[in-house]
Amino acid sequence: MSHRGGMDDEDDDDDYEEQVADFDEEEVDEEEEDRSGGKKRRRSSFIDDDAEEVDEDDEEEEEDDYEDEDYGGKSSRKRQKSKKGSASNFFDIEAAVDSDEEEEEEEGDDDFIVETGSDLPYDDDNRGRARHRLPPHQEDHEDLEAMARSIQERYGKQRMADYDEETTDVEQQALLPSVRDPKLWMVKCAIGRERETAVCLMQKYIDKGSELQIRSAIALDHLKNYIYVEADKEAHVREACKGLRNIFGQKITLVPIREMTDVLSVESKAIDLARGTWVRMKIGTYKGDLAKVVDVDNVRQRVTVKLIPRIDLQALANKLEGREVVKKKAFVPPPRFMNVDEARELHIRVEHRRDAYGERFEAFGGMMFKDGFLYKTVSIKSISAQSIKPTFDELEKFRKPGESGDGDVASLSTLFANRKKGHFMKGDAVIVIKGDLKNLKGWVEKVDEDNVHIRPEIKDLPKTLAVNEKELVKYFEPGNHVKVVTGAQEGATGMVVKVEQHVLILISDTTKEHIRVFADDVVESSEVTTGVTRIGDYELRDLVLLDNLSFGVIIRVESEAFQVLKGVPDRPEVVLVKLREIKCKIEKKISVQDRFKNTISSKDVVKIIDGPCRGKQGPVEHIYRGILFIFDRHHLEHAGFICVKAHSCVVVGGSRSNGDRNGDAHTRFNGLRTPSRIPQSPSRVPRGRPSSDSGGRHRGGRGHDGLTGATVKVRQGSYKGYRGRVIEVKGTSVRVELESQMKVVTVDRNHITDNIAVTPQRETSRYGMGSETPMHPSRTPLHPYMTPMRDPGATPIHDGMRTPMRDRAWNPYAPMSPPRDNWEDGNPGSWGASPQYQPGSPPSRPYEAPTPGAGWASTPGGNYSEAGTPRDSSAYANAPSPYLPSTPGQPMTPNSASYLPGTPGGQPMTPGTGGLDMMSPVLGGDTEGPWFMPDILVNVHRAGDESVGVIKEVLPDGSYKVGLGSSGNGETITALPAEMEAVVPRKSDKIKIMGGALRGSTGKLIGVDGTDGIVKVDDTLDVKILDLVILAKLAQS
Amino acid sequence: MQLHPRYFGRNLRDNLVSKLMKDVEGTCSGRHGFVVAVTGIENIGKGLIRDGTGFVTFPVKYQCVVFRPFKGEILEAVVTMVNKMGFFAEAGPVQIFVSNHLIPDDMEFQSGDMPNYTTSDGSVKIQKDSEVRLKIIGTRVDATEIFCIGTIKDDFLGVINDPTTV
């Protein structure tokens, strides 16, 4: 039966079915019936002389030239043909015509089953055959009139039958073969000789007459290797096949009764072309175009469709005027609505016609137009009506001349046609759109073949209603989160903002743009996807080099192409590129300079100060050829990417505004500089400072490019594969301390990759920071810059640690207000990124920052103020000198002097560290020495005597103006930090926080826990646990 | 809750609490919404030492105030951005988008320096920093973010405070 299965499939796509020979004993019986005349004649025709002769020839051939025959089916057959002359021709013709005829009949009769075994279908088969056979017979046949009469009878009857008894299902059923009917046997024959075999069988039948007990032989064009033989018994088939050269093996299979009809039935492709259906043109100028069926002529197999014309009016005019038309190859005019006036202008005669329905048309050049559409009558075969999915654009176009509702309904019908099985699922919200129940909402309970059982929304209705699938569409409400499952936007997710009949408007999750989709195309989903995010090697947000040497960032991945925001500054230029148009991904890590020559490397937060996007700010995603791609999550266009020149940006914190406000006083910037406990990105470390000044102190070109301190991997050379920390950058080479071997090696800069996982480094730093022993390995000279920073406030060096604080003194504003305030005003941009300075900001703020890594990395810039600006650098370089001599603390920490300037960079937090160490803000707070601040109560030890005082002002040289007395009303003296000690607050004292994230905040000490104080911060009323060391008693005012 | 060994000691608990606050407040979980403030600690379980790192993980049960917008909720929000597709507004940590389909039809988008939506008679104007009352019609909850879609196309919804008139 496996054959049968395969054949069934073929059956479906092949209308051609052929019955080559049909010789039946029952003809005798039929003779008794009216229509037997044709049969008889037909039979006699088989036995005409010619045929007989040929038969003899044939037989002879078969017997004598057996081997001769065997060399190839085709040639032998041809030979036969030519030899046989008229007879074989006759067979062929018959066969050919026959098949046509049958096909037509069957198409007409829908799925009328041709059943060779039973009586009734016979006339169907034979009618056609007989008719066509007639002409050749006529010559032989003497009784033309009888024939004519019999034909009359036959057809008359047929027609009667056709009209009188419209075939009903029951009748059809009656025609099906039953157990009493002859069976169909499948016989294996030589491939390619199916027809021949059948013909042979026929011939044999003709020769042997009723000896042969088979009833018919069928060769199907689409079935190779087998023919069907109809007979009552297998033995009959064997008998008939005996001696046939093309039948070998005795494999005869019975076709089960049920499948017999399938053998000979043709899957009718019922093209259901209704008016208003969307179709596509298959050929011609309009190939692929969407068209709408306006009229169907089933008889002539023609349809009238409505198209958007693609007419080159000029060419048409030329043609009509008889001018030579230049044949442009492969030029298809774009679809455009026809404007009759335009045509008139070109002197094309426009006629007005009415069609059969009385509709008015404008006609010219043999074409009919209405409302700008072209009405074209084409053959049904030249359009395809299957699975047409009009896109929105196309529908929109079709809807042009103000017929809104109509277009929708029409497209609906097409949508239904394209629905897949299992379109509705249990639980889907649906709405009825047709019939009495229109607008009834409900939920799908069960899905049958065509009917969907829904549970209606309205109460008083039956529990479930069966509704035809075609009357339902999915229903969504604004606010639903959906996913597009088919169509152009496939894969996108979004929230429904509006429902317009069966069209939804979504707001995409990724692009925040509106998408219009059909309700049918979406399913409810909580999933959030971006759709596709990569094709090939390229992913969303990648910087790519394009064909024409331009470059850009992929901002959207579509089904086959990318949207790329090109690297053209100041003017967003988006191009759609195909995969092959992309040359490569650019993954270089480059750093550039901003307007103030600060180094920008990727992930730095920059602010745009020029151009159309001025004011925007965000982390740098890519840098290439001096152009930055900045990602601003508040920027809605282009997936948040902004393309700017590096020169139009400042690294946030480079805060120009601040500088402007403060005038040019370098010292002030310096003053603003915080004690650099902020993890300082080396890239921010001022560079370009005169080497004579900095000397070795600055550890060679450290911070040259954000590399120092970064964990890198050597990718070339003898140390390939090693990882290590960069401790120095010297020109084109870097000195890397290998992780695995305790040694420092020098490798070429180009031989390393940075930006590898930095966890190990982080750990080091953590331990380093946490460690209280100065002897900790992490403080080996290899990381000298860490040393001072690691010191908790209590170590002797801590005085030295205060030094930067003294810088504050230079800030004239300092006494009045915490220096922070300056930043706050001048530099709001930096705030988000430096939350730990924000008084009262919840400690969790840093984590809120969208890109903690970047934010963190940028922080230093912000707090550090002008650290990166050249002028600041010089000031910075000078910074140590003025106060060094005056700092008694310094001699105690001989190395601090040299380290201090570098301290900012000392934090091993490089931009590469990226991810913010959760602990670091705390650590920062803890390691911070207590920097004295105005308004706090201190004990001044001086020349042996001890007195209480209140810090009034921080002087630029690092010393403090202290008003003696508990309220600071007494004599004002100048004291050095080393001479002072903050008064340790006691429970319920008002305090000021001198370090940590809350530095500068005031609060109340509500409890003491060992070395920690529990502080209620005034601003936020938060309760914090802080080290007592950084708390100072606030002077009563 | 992971804690560095450095913090072990007498005030371990306090450290834990402060770290919890730091870590949790201001975050957003899909299930509960935004954590506004930790109000109390129910209990702190036994710590589990992580191999290799020395960090200790403590299970901490806490109570907190959360903010989670629901469908149908009426909120007052500040407009942060206006574009042709609608406007974005923020209500605390939640960003809400109001599509132009959900803005009353009589309000038209006016582009320009200060893009806004204005009624035909110009009496009502939605622009940046306006305060609007809106109804949430849909929420999308990510792991770290809640995004809402709102409408002002309903009775009693719309601008409640216009910065320009104040």
Side-chain angles (χ1 to χ4, degrees), chain B residues 56-109:
Chain B
V56 174
T57 310
F58 292 94
V60 180
K61 225 178 193 180
Y62 59 93
Q63 292 172 332
C64 54
V65 178
V66 294
F67 170 46
R68 162 145 206 195
F70 285 97
K71 220 177 181 176
E73 190 172 330
I74 310 277
L75 279 181
E76 285 166 16
V78 178
V79 176
T80 52
M81 182 173 8
V82 180
N83 61 26
K84 64 176 192 308
M85 292 184 315
F87 65 83
F88 287 88
E90 272 174 17
V94 182
Q95 206 184 24
I96 302 151
F97 177 69
V98 179
S99 162
N100 57 9
H101 299 289
L102 300 169
I103 294 172
D105 295 328
D106 61 338
M107 295 192 90
E108 289 260 318
F109 178 68

Coordinates of all heavy atoms in Angstrom, one line a residue, chain B residues 56-109:
Chain B
V56 N 30.2 35.8 52.6 CA 29.1 35.1 53.3 C 27.8 35.6 52.8 O 27.5 36.8 52.7 CB 29.3 35.3 54.8 CG1 28.1 34.6 55.5 CG2 30.6 34.7 55.3
T57 N 26.9 34.6 52.5 CA 25.6 35.0 52.0 C 24.6 34.8 53.2 O 24.6 33.7 53.8 CB 25.2 34.1 50.9 OG1 26.3 34.1 49.9 CG2 23.9 34.5 50.2
F58 N 23.9 35.8 53.5 CA 22.9 35.7 54.5 C 21.5 35.8 53.9 O 21.3 36.7 53.1 CB 23.0 36.9 55.5 CG 24.3 36.8 56.3 CD1 25.4 37.5 55.9 CD2 24.3 36.1 57.5 CE1 26.5 37.5 56.6 CE2 25.5 36.1 58.2 CZ 26.6 36.8 57.8
P59 N 20.6 34.9 54.2 CA 19.2 35.1 53.8 C 18.6 36.2 54.7 O 18.6 36.0 55.9 CB 18.6 33.8 54.0 CG 19.4 33.0 55.0 CD 20.8 33.7 55.0
V60 N 18.1 37.2 54.1 CA 17.5 38.3 54.9 C 16.0 38.4 54.5 O 15.7 38.5 53.3 CB 18.2 39.6 54.7 CG1 17.6 40.7 55.5 CG2 19.7 39.4 55.0
K61 N 15.2 38.4 55.5 CA 13.8 38.7 55.2 C 13.4 40.1 55.7 O 13.8 40.4 56.8 CB 13.0 37.7 56.1 CG 11.8 37.0 55.3 CD 11.1 36.0 56.1 CE 10.3 35.1 55.3 NZ 9.6 34.1 56.2
Y62 N 12.9 40.8 54.8 CA 12.6 42.2 55.2 C 11.3 42.7 54.7 O 10.7 42.1 53.8 CB 13.7 43.1 54.7 CG 13.9 43.1 53.3 CD1 13.3 44.0 52.4 CD2 14.8 42.2 52.7 CE1 13.5 44.0 51.1 CE2 14.9 42.1 51.3 CZ 14.3 43.1 50.5 OH 14.5 43.1 49.2
Q63 N 10.8 43.7 55.3 CA 9.6 44.4 54.9 C 10.0 45.7 54.2 O 10.9 46.3 54.6 CB 8.7 44.7 56.0 CG 8.2 43.4 56.7 CD 7.5 43.7 58.0 OE1 7.8 44.7 58.6 NE2 6.5 42.9 58.4
C64 N 9.2 46.0 53.2 CA 9.5 47.3 52.6 C 8.3 47.9 51.9 O 7.3 47.2 51.7 CB 10.6 47.1 51.5 SG 10.3 45.9 50.3
V65 N 8.4 49.1 51.7 CA 7.3 49.8 51.0 C 7.7 49.7 49.5 O 8.8 49.9 49.1 CB 7.3 51.3 51.4 CG1 6.2 52.0 50.6 CG2 7.1 51.4 52.8
V66 N 6.7 49.2 48.7 CA 7.0 49.1 47.3 C 6.0 50.0 46.5 O 4.9 50.3 47.0 CB 6.9 47.7 46.8 CG1 8.0 46.8 47.4 CG2 5.5 47.1 47.0
F67 N 6.4 50.3 45.3 CA 5.5 51.0 44.4 C 5.4 50.2 43.1 O 6.3 49.9 42.4 CB 6.1 52.4 44.1 CG 5.4 53.1 43.0 CD1 4.0 53.2 43.0 CD2 6.1 53.7 42.0 CE1 3.4 53.8 42.0 CE2 5.5 54.3 40.9 CZ 4.1 54.4 40.9
R68 N 4.2 49.8 42.9 CA 3.9 49.0 41.7 C 2.7 49.5 41.1 O 1.6 49.4 41.6 CB 3.8 47.5 42.2 CG 3.1 46.7 41.1 CD 3.6 45.4 40.9 NE 3.3 45.1 39.5 CZ 3.2 44.0 39.0 NH1 3.5 42.9 39.7 NH2 3.0 43.9 37.7
P69 N 2.8 50.0 39.9 CA 1.7 50.5 39.2 C 0.8 49.4 38.7 O 1.3 48.3 38.3 CB 2.3 51.3 38.1 CG 3.6 50.9 37.9 CD 4.1 50.2 39.2
F70 N -0.5 49.6 38.7 CA -1.4 48.6 38.2 C -2.2 49.2 37.0 O -2.3 50.4 36.9 CB -2.3 48.1 39.3 CG -1.7 47.2 40.3 CD1 -1.2 47.7 41.4 CD2 -1.5 45.9 40.0 CE1 -0.6 46.8 42.3 CE2 -0.9 45.0 40.8 CZ -0.4 45.5 42.0
K71 N -2.7 48.3 36.3 CA -3.6 48.6 35.2 C -4.8 49.3 35.7 O -5.4 48.8 36.7 CB -4.0 47.3 34.4 CG -4.0 47.4 33.0 CD -4.4 46.1 32.5 CE -4.4 46.1 31.0 NZ -4.6 44.8 30.4
G72 N -5.1 50.4 35.1 CA -6.3 51.1 35.6 C -6.1 52.1 36.7 O -7.0 52.8 37.0
E73 N -4.9 52.1 37.2 CA -4.6 53.0 38.2 C -4.4 54.4 37.7 O -4.0 54.6 36.6 CB -3.2 52.6 38.8 CG -2.8 53.3 40.1 CD -1.6 52.7 40.7 OE1 -1.4 51.5 40.5 OE2 -0.8 53.4 41.3
I74 N -4.9 55.4 38.4 CA -4.8 56.8 38.0 C -3.5 57.3 38.7 O -3.4 57.2 39.9 CB -6.0 57.6 38.4 CG1 -7.3 56.9 38.0 CG2 -5.9 59.0 37.9 CD1 -7.7 57.1 36.6
L75 N -2.7 57.9 38.0 CA -1.5 58.5 38.5 C -1.3 59.9 38.1 O -1.8 60.3 37.1 CB -0.3 57.7 38.0 CG 0.1 56.3 38.7 CD1 1.3 55.8 38.0 CD2 0.3 56.6 40.1
E76 N -0.6 60.6 38.9 CA -0.2 61.9 38.4 C 1.3 61.9 38.1 O 2.1 61.3 38.8 CB -0.5 62.9 39.5 CG -1.9 63.2 39.6 CD -2.4 63.9 40.8 OE1 -1.5 64.5 41.5 OE2 -3.6 63.9 41.1
A77 N 1.6 62.4 37.0 CA 3.0 62.3 36.5 C 3.5 63.6 35.9 O 2.7 64.4 35.5 CB 3.1 61.1 35.5
V78 N 4.8 63.6 35.8 CA 5.4 64.8 35.2 C 5.8 64.4 33.8 O 6.5 63.4 33.6 CB 6.6 65.3 36.0 CG1 7.2 66.5 35.4 CG2 6.1 65.7 37.4
V79 N 5.5 65.3 32.8 CA 5.9 65.0 31.4 C 7.4 65.2 31.3 O 7.9 66.2 31.7 CB 5.1 65.9 30.5 CG1 5.6 65.7 29.1 CG2 3.6 65.6 30.6
T80 N 8.0 64.2 30.7 CA 9.5 64.4 30.6 C 9.9 64.6 29.1 O 10.9 65.2 28.9 CB 10.2 63.2 31.1 OG1 9.7 62.0 30.5 CG2 10.1 63.1 32.6
M81 N 9.1 64.1 28.3 CA 9.4 64.3 26.9 C 8.2 64.2 26.0 O 7.3 63.4 26.2 CB 10.4 63.2 26.4 CG 10.8 63.4 25.0 SD 12.1 62.3 24.5 CE 12.3 61.2 25.8
V82 N 8.2 65.0 25.0 CA 7.1 65.1 24.1 C 7.6 64.8 22.7 O 8.6 65.5 22.3 CB 6.3 66.4 24.2 CG1 5.1 66.4 23.2 CG2 5.9 66.7 25.6
N83 N 7.0 63.9 22.0 CA 7.4 63.8 20.6 C 6.1 63.4 19.8 O 5.0 63.4 20.4 CB 8.5 62.7 20.4 CG 8.1 61.4 20.9 OD1 6.9 61.0 20.9 ND2 9.0 60.6 21.3
K84 N 6.3 63.2 18.6 CA 5.1 63.1 17.7 C 4.3 61.8 18.0 O 3.2 61.7 17.6 CB 5.5 63.2 16.2 CG 6.4 62.1 15.7 CD 6.6 62.3 14.2 CE 7.2 61.1 13.6 NZ 8.4 60.6 14.2
M85 N 4.9 60.9 18.6 CA 4.2 59.6 18.9 C 3.5 59.7 20.2 O 2.7 58.8 20.5 CB 5.2 58.5 18.9 CG 5.8 58.2 17.6 SD 6.9 56.8 17.7 CE 7.8 57.1 19.1
G86 N 3.7 60.7 20.9 CA 3.1 60.8 22.2 C 4.0 61.5 23.2 O 4.9 62.2 22.8
F87 N 3.8 61.2 24.4 CA 4.7 61.8 25.4 C 5.0 60.8 26.5 O 4.3 59.9 26.8 CB 4.2 63.1 26.0 CG 2.9 63.0 26.8 CD1 3.0 62.7 28.1 CD2 1.7 63.3 26.2 CE1 1.9 62.6 28.9 CE2 0.6 63.3 27.0 CZ 0.6 62.9 28.3
F88 N 6.2 61.0 27.1 CA 6.6 60.2 28.2 C 6.4 61.0 29.5 O 6.7 62.2 29.5 CB 8.1 59.9 28.0 CG 8.3 58.9 27.0 CD1 8.5 59.2 25.7 CD2 8.4 57.5 27.3 CE1 8.8 58.3 24.7 CE2 8.6 56.6 26.3 CZ 8.8 57.0 25.0
A89 N 6.0 60.4 30.5 CA 5.9 61.0 31.7 C 6.5 60.1 32.8 O 6.6 58.9 32.6 CB 4.4 61.3 32.0
E90 N 6.8 60.7 33.9 CA 7.4 59.9 35.0 C 6.6 60.2 36.2 O 6.3 61.3 36.6 CB 8.9 60.3 35.2 CG 9.8 59.5 34.3 CD 11.2 60.0 34.4 OE1 11.6 60.7 35.4 OE2 12.0 59.6 33.5
A91 N 6.3 59.1 36.9 CA 5.7 59.2 38.2 C 6.7 58.5 39.1 O 6.7 57.2 39.1 CB 4.4 58.5 38.2
G92 N 7.5 59.2 39.8 CA 8.5 58.6 40.6 C 9.4 57.8 39.6 O 9.9 58.3 38.6
P93 N 9.7 56.6 40.0 CA 10.6 55.8 39.1 C 10.0 55.2 37.9 O 10.7 54.7 37.0 CB 11.0 54.7 40.1 CG 9.9 54.5 41.0 CD 9.2 55.8 41.1
V94 N 8.7 55.4 37.8 CA 8.0 54.7 36.6 C 7.9 55.6 35.4 O 7.5 56.8 35.6 CB 6.6 54.2 37.0 CG1 6.0 53.5 35.9 CG2 6.7 53.4 38.2
Q95 N 8.3 55.1 34.3 CA 8.1 55.8 33.1 C 6.8 55.4 32.4 O 6.5 54.2 32.4 CB 9.3 55.6 32.2 CG 9.5 56.7 31.2 CD 10.6 56.4 30.2 OE1 10.9 55.3 29.9 NE2 11.2 57.5 29.7
I96 N 6.1 56.4 32.0 CA 4.8 56.1 31.4 C 4.8 56.7 30.0 O 5.1 57.9 29.9 CB 3.6 56.6 32.2 CG1 3.7 56.1 33.7 CG2 2.3 56.3 31.6 CD1 3.1 57.0 34.7
F97 N 4.3 56.0 29.1 CA 4.2 56.5 27.8 C 2.7 56.7 27.4 O 1.9 55.8 27.7 CB 4.9 55.6 26.7 CG 4.7 56.1 25.3 CD1 5.4 57.2 24.9 CD2 3.9 55.4 24.4 CE1 5.2 57.6 23.6 CE2 3.7 55.8 23.1 CZ 4.4 56.9 22.7
V98 N 2.4 57.9 26.9 CA 1.1 58.1 26.5 C 1.1 58.3 25.0 O 1.7 59.3 24.5 CB 0.5 59.3 27.2 CG1 -0.9 59.6 26.7 CG2 0.5 59.2 28.7
S99 N 0.6 57.4 24.3 CA 0.7 57.5 22.8 C -0.3 58.5 22.3 O -1.2 58.9 23.0 CB 0.3 56.1 22.3 OG -0.1 56.2 20.9
N100 N 0.0 59.0 21.1 CA -0.9 60.0 20.6 C -2.2 59.5 20.3 O -3.2 60.2 20.1 CB -0.2 60.7 19.4 CG 0.1 59.8 18.3 OD1 -0.3 58.6 18.4 ND2 0.8 60.2 17.3
H101 N -2.3 58.2 20.2 CA -3.7 57.6 20.0 C -4.5 57.7 21.3 O -5.7 57.5 21.3 CB -3.5 56.1 19.6 CG -2.8 56.0 18.4 ND1 -3.3 56.3 17.2 CD2 -1.6 55.5 18.1 CE1 -2.5 56.0 16.2 NE2 -1.4 55.5 16.8
L102 N -3.8 57.9 22.4 CA -4.4 57.9 23.7 C -4.5 59.3 24.3 O -4.8 59.5 25.4 CB -3.7 57.0 24.6 CG -3.7 55.5 24.1 CD1 -2.8 54.7 25.0 CD2 -5.1 54.9 24.2
I103 N -4.2 60.3 23.4 CA -4.4 61.6 23.8 C -5.7 62.1 23.1 O -5.9 61.7 21.9 CB -3.1 62.5 23.3 CG1 -1.9 62.0 24.0 CG2 -3.4 63.9 23.4 CD1 -0.6 62.6 23.5
P104 N -6.5 62.9 23.7 CA -7.7 63.2 23.1 C -7.5 63.8 21.7 O -6.5 64.4 21.4 CB -8.2 64.4 24.0 CG -7.7 64.1 25.3 CD -6.4 63.4 25.1
D105 N -8.4 63.4 20.8 CA -8.3 63.7 19.4 C -8.1 65.2 19.1 O -7.6 65.6 18.1 CB -9.4 63.2 18.6 CG -9.5 61.7 18.7 OD1 -8.4 61.1 18.8 OD2 -10.6 61.1 18.7
D106 N -8.7 66.0 20.0 CA -8.6 67.5 19.7 C -7.3 68.0 20.0 O -7.0 69.2 19.8 CB -9.7 68.2 20.4 CG -9.6 68.1 21.9 OD1 -9.0 67.1 22.4 OD2 -10.2 68.9 22.7
M107 N -6.4 67.2 20.6 CA -5.1 67.8 20.9 C -4.1 67.4 19.7 O -4.0 66.3 19.3 CB -4.5 67.2 22.2 CG -5.4 67.6 23.4 SD -4.6 67.3 24.9 CE -3.7 68.7 25.2
E108 N -3.5 68.4 19.3 CA -2.6 68.2 18.1 C -1.1 68.4 18.5 O -0.8 69.2 19.4 CB -2.9 69.3 17.1 CG -4.3 69.1 16.4 CD -4.1 68.4 15.1 OE1 -3.2 68.8 14.3 OE2 -4.9 67.5 14.7
F109 N -0.3 67.7 17.9 CA 1.1 67.8 18.1 C 1.7 69.0 17.5 O 1.4 69.3 16.3 CB 1.8 66.5 17.6 CG 3.3 66.6 17.8 CD1 3.8 66.6 19.1 CD2 4.2 66.7 16.8 CE1 5.2 66.6 19.3 CE2 5.5 66.8 17.0 CZ 6.0 66.7 18.2

